[in-house]
């Protein structure tokens, strides 16, 4: 999820974009128009959140929205949770500059959902209750596995939150034309407070409606821009491609290799990124928790099918928008901005529709960040309150109201940490945080999930070795990689302590996590309860005993 080889960022592209806006002043767009459109969105979502807050008394209401969402609604919310606005900016920019190679990001993000559909969605929904740890600890020792799962979940959510909060502050600063660091810090605090209110009051129901609205607006806005671009070329995609090549003077825009060339480390980097994206998506905690908001396994499957359709359409839009930016904008103009290629999408919006379309796209982009942040926060609070506080600290001896109270207190703590982290991450290259989130999810979570669901001999030792080994190796490799040290785009560019040559740990940490899970299970002298294993297998495949199963 970061751009690995070049200076751009895929998921954390808002900070440079805000810097560009600060230097450019108000040459592009109107801060008043931008913020007006943004406030309309906030007002609409607040209405739904307050309305949803009337029924969040039980744990099922707060964590899973009372399992009242249809497959279509939940699929739209999943798309809203997954389609990052920064991803939108980064991919459009990557295609505008690197053409074919830039579109590979879109392909990776979409293909990843096939694993979620075929291996994870239905089985997770049947076996679990509120969190990923429900599945992982079903037939293993509860306490150590829940603690490990909670640590992994909080690690993924924390790195995502830092990047998204910094991006949110930068984007709103762009909308308002604020240049000072103090002003952006104040904006991050306001955005964080708004997020805390959404999740504290509305729980999963409120969060889901924010995500549904955001997904609708983002896809609709992208569709309008896509149709607009195609209309300029008589809906002839070949003519659009030809114009992009002619405008940029780069014939290789339509061929592979412009970004990922023949260098060995470049190829290994791309392979590592692809593995992390494809395998990490199916193990992201804030995506997994959405499978528990539907009443039946059938709805869980439909959720993923709807999400794939919406996400697939969106990434096809990015192909047109990327080449549209290449055809209609000067490459030098895009790259000259401190935001680099991440500026392509808003510059294209301004080129097409002027101030209003730019304001709409900017407001939708902020809505996207707010929806992702809300999803991450509810996931983090559910993980701590349900897995650690209720099951480990209280040993399950806590009522639903007490668990919801603990979750709400956790929301406040997580929100404050996100605000402080977002403020501290201003102006830094926070792309590695999001890349690490995918790498951690793929390394620590996916091997344990698949082993738990499909391997009878999997043991508690295997789970702990896999989760802690995957988490630890991913953290260690990132900590000593060029993402952090020694490059112009590194966190510490002046110091070169990079011992690991690649910028994504997935190529090493993911196979290592699978190996550790197998090795830990094979060397374990304690076998797990065969009755629980059989129960889990039957329940995961049939849904017997799952939440609300009796009603369907």
């Amino acid at each position: 999820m970061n751009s690995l080889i070049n200076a751009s960022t895929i998921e954390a592209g808002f900070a440079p974009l805000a810097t560009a806006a600060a230097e450019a002043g108000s040459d592009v767009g109107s801060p008043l128009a931008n913020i007006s459109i943004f406030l309309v969105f906030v007002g609409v979502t607040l209405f739904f959140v307050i309305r949803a807050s009337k029924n969040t008394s039980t744990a099922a209401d707060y964590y899973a929205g009372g399992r009242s969402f249809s497959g279509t609604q939940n699929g739209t919310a999943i798309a809203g949770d997954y389609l990052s606005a920064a991803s939108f900016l980064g991919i459009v920019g990557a295609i505008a500059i690197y053409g074919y190679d830039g579109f590979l990001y879109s392909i990776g993000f979409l293909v990843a959902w096939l694993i979620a559909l075929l291996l994870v969605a239905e089985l997770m929904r049947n076996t679990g209750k509120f969190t990923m740890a429900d599945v992982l600890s079903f037939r293993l020792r509860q306490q150590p596995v829940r603690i490990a799962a909670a640590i992994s979940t909080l690690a993924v959510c924390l790195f995502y939150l830092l990047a998204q909060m910094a991006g949110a502050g930068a984007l709103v600063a762009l909308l308002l034309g604020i240049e000072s660091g103090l002003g952006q810090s104040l904006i991050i605090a306001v955005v964080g407070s708004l997020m805390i209110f959404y999740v504290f009051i509305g729980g999963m129901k409120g969060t889901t409606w924010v995500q549904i609205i955001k997904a609708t607006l983002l896809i609709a806005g992208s569709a309008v821009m896509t149709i607009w671009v195609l209309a300029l070329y008589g809906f002839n995609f070949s003519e659009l491609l030809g114009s992009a090549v002619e405008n940029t003077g780069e014939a290789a825009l339509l061929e592979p290799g412009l970004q990922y060339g023949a260098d060995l480390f470049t190829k290994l980097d791309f392979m590592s990124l692809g593995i992390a994206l494809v395998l990490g998506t199916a193990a992201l905690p804030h995506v997994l928790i959405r499978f528990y908001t539907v009443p039946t396994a059938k709805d869980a499957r439909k959720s993923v099918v709807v999400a794939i359709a919406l996400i697939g359409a969106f990434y096809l839009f990015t192909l047109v928008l990327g080449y549209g930016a290449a055809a209609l904008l000067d490459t030098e103009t895009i790259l000259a901005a401190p935001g680099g290629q991440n500026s392509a999408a808003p510059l294209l919006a301004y080129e097409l529709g002027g101030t209003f379309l730019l304001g709409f796209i900017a407001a939708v982009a902020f809505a996207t960040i707010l929806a992702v942040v809300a999803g991450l926060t509810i996931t983090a609070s559910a993980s701590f309150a349900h897995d650690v506080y209720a099951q480990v600290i209280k040993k399950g001896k806590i009522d639903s109201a007490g668990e919801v109270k603990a979750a709400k207190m956790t929301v406040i703590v997580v929100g404050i940490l996100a605000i402080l982290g977002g403020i501290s991450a201003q102006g830094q290259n926070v792309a590695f945080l999001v890349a690490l989130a995918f790498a951690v999810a793929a390394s620590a979570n996916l091997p344990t999930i698949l082993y738990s669901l499909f391997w009878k001999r999997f043991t508690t030792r295997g789970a702990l070795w896999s989760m802690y080994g995957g988490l630890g190796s991913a953290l260690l490799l990132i900590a000593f990689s060029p993402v952090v040290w020694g490059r112009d785009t590194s966190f510490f560019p002046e110091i070169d302590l990079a011992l690991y040559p690649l910028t994504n740990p997935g190529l090493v940490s993911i196979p290592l996590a699978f190996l550790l899970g197998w090795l830990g299970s094979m060397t374990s002298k304690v076998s797990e309860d065969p009755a629980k294993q059989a129960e889990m297998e039957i329940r995961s495949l049939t849904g017997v005993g799952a939440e609300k199963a009796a009603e369907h």
Side-chain angles (χ1 to χ4, degrees):
M1 287 290 262
N2 69 17
S3 60
L4 297 185
I5 309 305
N6 56 71
S8 70
T9 60
I10 292 299
E11 280 290 336
F14 280 133
L17 187 58
T19 305
E23 294 194 3
S26 57
D27 292 339
V28 178
S30 164
L32 180 61
N34 294 341
I35 200 63
S36 298
I37 298 172
F38 158 65
L39 289 176
V40 169
F41 167 78
V42 172
V44 172
T45 53
L46 280 176
F47 168 78
F48 282 101
V49 168
I50 294 173
R51 185 177 178 183
S53 68
K54 297 178 181 178
N55 188 19
T56 57
S57 56
T58 68
D61 291 330
Y62 193 79
Y63 296 144
R67 310 189 201 282
S68 59
F69 291 98
S70 67
T72 301
Q73 290 174 326
N74 193 50
T76 306
I78 289 175
D81 213 358
Y82 187 71
L83 292 176
S84 164
S87 177
F88 164 54
L89 292 178
I91 290 176
V92 171
I95 295 173
I97 303 301
Y98 298 106
Y100 181 95
D101 283 6
F103 188 55
L104 294 176
Y105 286 105
S106 294
I107 296 172
F109 295 150
L110 181 59
V111 169
W113 278 100
L114 295 178
I115 295 179
L117 174 62
L118 298 176
L119 299 179
V120 173
E122 179 182 355
L123 304 183
M124 289 286 289
R125 188 260 157 215
N126 287 344
T127 309
K129 188 176 183 181
F130 297 133
T131 66
M132 176 184 69
D134 288 334
V135 177
L136 303 185
S137 65
F138 191 95
R139 63 185 179 93
L140 306 176
R141 288 167 52 205
Q142 292 274 324
Q143 183 167 326
V145 173
R146 283 190 180 276
I147 292 175
I151 290 173
S152 173
T153 297
L154 291 172
V156 175
C157 292
L158 178 62
F159 284 106
Y160 249 122
L161 279 170
L162 294 183
Q164 297 295 334
M165 287 299 293
L171 180 61
V172 180
L174 169 64
L175 297 180
L176 295 174
I178 294 175
E179 301 181 19
S180 69
L182 179 61
Q184 289 196 35
S185 297
L186 181 61
I187 287 172
I188 289 174
V190 172
V191 170
S193 301
L194 183 61
M195 169 207 52
I196 292 172
F197 180 80
Y198 277 174
V199 181
F200 187 94
I201 299 297
M204 179 56 83
K205 279 190 177 180
T207 299
T208 299
W209 281 112
V210 171
Q211 291 165 342
I212 290 174
I213 295 170
K214 165 257 160 163
T216 303
L217 290 176
L218 179 62
I219 294 173
S222 301
V224 167
M225 290 178 63
T226 298
I227 294 172
W228 201 323
V229 169
L230 289 174
L232 294 177
Y233 295 92
F235 293 95
N236 187 328
F237 187 61
S238 295
E239 186 176 336
L240 170 61
L241 296 179
S243 178
V245 171
E246 181 181 353
N247 187 51
T248 60
E250 184 62 75
L253 207 65
L254 306 182
E255 303 171 359
L258 194 57
Q259 181 179 9
Y260 300 105
D263 178 72
L264 175 61
F265 283 122
T266 301
K267 291 183 177 180
L268 290 177
D269 245 336
F270 179 67
M271 186 184 302
S272 188
L273 173 67
I275 291 173
L277 293 181
V278 171
L279 298 182
T281 299
L284 290 172
H286 65 292
V287 172
L288 294 176
I289 199 174
R290 294 232 52 91
F291 297 141
Y292 302 125
T293 64
V294 292
T296 67
K298 180 180 179 181
D299 285 314
R301 291 194 302 273
K302 186 176 181 181
S303 296
V304 182
V305 172
V306 170
I308 289 175
L310 294 176
I311 292 168
F314 174 82
Y315 285 133
L316 287 177
F317 295 158
T318 64
L319 180 64
V320 175
L321 297 179
Y323 279 111
L328 297 172
L329 304 172
D330 290 332
T331 303
E332 293 76 13
T333 301
I334 298 174
L335 294 178
Q341 67 189 48
N342 299 295
S343 306
L347 287 175
L348 178 62
Y350 187 70
E351 179 75 16
L352 293 174
T355 298
F356 177 79
L357 187 57
L358 172 64
F360 178 79
I361 292 300
V364 168
F366 174 76
T368 300
I369 280 192
L370 195 59
V372 172
V373 165
L376 290 166
T377 305
I378 191 72
T379 303
S381 67
S383 179
F384 178 82
H386 179 65
D387 296 325
V388 178
Y389 184 76
Q391 301 298 326
V392 176
I393 297 176
K394 290 294 186 179
K395 310 292 185 184
K397 298 176 181 178
I398 184 174
D399 60 12
S400 182
E403 193 170 328
V404 171
K405 183 178 180 181
K408 290 186 174 183
M409 293 301 103
T410 307
V411 166
I412 296 177
V413 174
V414 171
I416 293 174
L417 290 175
I419 291 171
L420 295 176
I423 291 174
S424 67
Q426 284 185 87
Q428 298 292 334
N429 180 359
V430 294
F432 83 97
L433 298 174
V434 180
L436 181 56
F438 266 72
V440 168
S443 303
N445 296 342
L446 188 65
T448 312
I449 290 172
L450 296 181
Y451 279 143
S452 295
L453 291 172
F454 298 108
W455 189 26
K456 295 181 180 180
R457 296 187 61 182
F458 192 51
T459 66
T460 299
R461 174 187 283 186
L464 297 179
W465 283 20
S466 178
M467 296 182 77
Y468 286 127
L471 173 62
S473 62
L475 287 171
L476 192 63
L477 291 173
I478 283 287
F480 290 98
S481 76
V483 177
V484 181
W485 308 100
R487 290 186 182 176
D488 292 339
T489 55
S490 299
F491 206 69
F492 302 105
E494 304 299 327
I495 307 173
D496 189 0
L497 296 178
L499 303 178
Y500 176 67
L502 306 183
T503 52
N504 190 289
L507 193 63
V508 174
S509 61
I510 297 173
L512 179 62
F514 275 102
L515 176 62
L516 289 173
W518 174 83
L519 187 61
S521 298
M522 296 302 293
T523 59
S524 177
K525 298 179 181 179
V526 179
S527 59
E528 306 299 336
D529 186 353
K532 291 294 291 182
Q533 192 281 327
E535 180 185 350
M536 180 176 181
E537 183 176 10
I538 293 172
R539 180 162 157 175
S540 66
L541 295 175
T542 66
V544 174
E547 293 293 308
K548 284 200 173 185
E551 300 178 21
H552 300 271

